[in-house]
Amino acid sequence: MNQDIRKAVITGMGAICALGNFRVEILQNVKNATSKIRPIKTYNIEKLSTKVGGEVGTLDHQFPDEIQDKSSQLAYIAMTEAVQESGLDFANENP
């Protein structure tokens, strides 16, 4: 067996999308067949042919200073949820 192969274990899951900012909220909206397709308000869409879409809602979250752009903010929220769900305590981990 190749000694260079490293294994990973998925211990938690986080998600964020138009259906919700957390996994539980997303699953509930899927179960209830809730649609979050609405008129787009976040971006200038006057030159686009479509005027509706599924936008991520308001991000009510504290971010580290280096996380400024929305893509990084979305990833940070999902990562935070995944770590919390995993039960990992990074203070006790050996990097």
Side-chain angles (χ1 to χ4, degrees):
M1 183 171 177
N2 186 341
Q3 296 297 324
D4 295 332
I5 295 175
R6 296 182 65 167
K7 296 181 180 181
V9 178
I10 298 171
T11 58
M13 186 178 93
I16 185 167
C17 67
L19 288 175
N21 290 355
F22 299 100
R23 186 180 57 86
V24 173
E25 182 182 2
I26 294 167
L27 291 175
Q28 190 63 45
N29 282 324
V30 168
K31 288 177 186 177
N32 293 336
T34 303
S35 174
K36 296 292 183 167
I37 303 300
R38 309 262 190 278
I40 297 172
K41 296 179 181 178
T42 307
Y43 302 100
N44 182 354
I45 56 168
E46 70 182 46
K47 294 183 179 181
L48 299 178
S49 59
T50 186
K51 307 297 182 201
V52 297
E55 296 184 281
V56 173
T58 305
L59 302 179
D60 184 24
H61 201 86
Q62 294 291 102
F63 298 102
D65 291 339
E66 62 271 12
I67 298 180
Q68 299 283 325
D69 65 285
K70 189 161 185 176
S71 294
S72 295
Q73 291 174 345
L74 297 174
Y76 185 83
I77 291 171
M79 179 271 310
T80 301
E81 182 180 24
V83 169
Q84 287 174 346
E85 183 180 280
S86 74
L88 293 173
D89 181 3
F90 288 113
N92 296 322
E93 296 296 323
N94 182 2

